[in-house]
Amino acid sequence: MLNLVLYSDQTAGEGLEIDARLLRLLKEKRGGNRIGYIPSGPDPERYFLDPLIAYYARTGLAVPVCYDLDVAHDPAETAALFACDAIHLSGGHTGEFLARLRRSGMLGPLSDWARKGGILIGVSAGSILMTPDIATDALFLDARPEDVTDGAALDLLPFEYFPHLDGAASYHADLVRYSRHTPRPILACTDSDGLVVSDGRSECFGEPLWITGGVSGKADAAVITALLPP
């Protein structure tokens, strides 16, 4: 079964509660503390990597693997990534992240690993990538999700995802409009909201919104759970 942890902003508000749930999930499912890290883009000066290592270290978690998608990896390096107790997909430019996953040939293996029960952690762009399509990311680029035609992603969840709902006043209305175009519901999160999926159940953190068919309301974990794949 799927074990997915979706953050909007890992360091904001309810993120601490999601951290605690992640720790329990690691203990229950893996018994280890190793987080493999896949960044959305190059980070030669470790501007994002070092703070991430420090963030996880405060709860006893380690980041022994940083898997740069722009670098060729031998089979042993790829095996080391998938041997980690969880894999963290970073924030960043979602479209470029998806393109890198495709070019590196990692989109399929990552999806397969998650479907077999691997713990996958997403932050912002990383969370969007867990869904069928990254169309919602168009709003961050002042574009229309309706116009995205090549956004197929990991397809682990049966709904779309939008982080940083509190980042602009227009986002909510834009998502309601888009929800009339897409057949999939949209889970929209402020920076202090998130979602954990495990054992066929979903748990909402904060007050994420569920937007579908032009109607917006508070997300119900039971409704989300009913949509999850077996």
Side-chain angles (χ1 to χ4, degrees):
M1 284 189 175
L2 295 172
N3 295 294
L4 309 176
V5 181
L6 286 75
Y7 292 87
S8 175
D9 182 334
Q10 195 173 40
T11 61
E14 300 291 336
L16 297 176
E17 293 187 30
I18 306 174
D19 287 350
R21 183 65 183 93
L22 171 60
L23 289 172
R24 294 200 307 274
L25 189 60
L26 282 163
K27 182 177 180 180
E28 293 165 3
K29 302 296 182 182
R30 304 288 295 188
N33 70 337
R34 297 169 304 140
I35 310 293
Y37 174 55
I38 303 181
S40 59
D43 186 19
E45 297 182 354
R46 299 169 63 99
Y47 182 81
F48 298 104
L49 175 58
D50 285 342
L52 184 75
I53 291 173
Y55 183 88
Y56 278 128
R58 66 182 178 76
T59 54
L61 302 179
V63 185
V65 177
C66 178
Y67 197 90
D68 187 339
L69 296 170
D70 289 337
V71 175
H73 295 277
D74 63 33
E77 291 172 323
T78 302
L81 172 70
F82 287 119
C84 288
D85 299 297
I87 293 177
H88 175 115
L89 302 179
S90 80
H93 190 294
T94 313
E96 292 179 2
F97 199 172
L98 177 58
R100 286 184 170 91
L101 286 168
R102 289 172 175 171
R103 285 197 304 269
S104 65
M106 285 294 288
L107 194 65
L110 189 61
S111 176
D112 291 343
W113 181 83
R115 291 180 193 280
K116 292 175 182 176
I119 299 173
L120 194 60
I121 305 162
V123 175
S124 188
S127 294
I128 295 174
L129 285 168
M130 295 188 198
T131 70
D133 198 289
I134 68 165
T136 60
D137 180 70
L139 295 180
F140 299 123
L141 306 174
D142 294 323
R144 288 163 36 98
E146 297 93 316
D147 298 332
V148 175
T149 59
D150 188 27
L154 290 167
D155 196 17
L156 299 171
L157 294 167
F159 52 84
E160 299 184 49
Y161 182 79
F162 186 78
H164 314 307
L165 180 63
D166 44 349
S170 61
Y171 286 159
H172 183 257
D174 289 338
L175 289 168
V176 170
R177 184 200 69 238
Y178 172 55
S179 75
R180 299 188 182 99
H181 171 85
T182 177
R184 294 181 291 262
I186 304 162
L187 183 71
C189 290
T190 69
D191 282 352
S192 60
D193 300 334
L195 180 77
V196 172
V197 171
S198 182
D199 293 328
R201 297 177 58 251
S202 66
E203 301 170 60
C204 294
F205 292 81
E207 297 187 350
L209 296 182
W210 191 246
I211 306 173
T212 183
V215 177
S216 172
K218 183 178 179 180
D220 184 333
V223 171
I224 300 173
T225 294
L227 294 177
L228 295 177

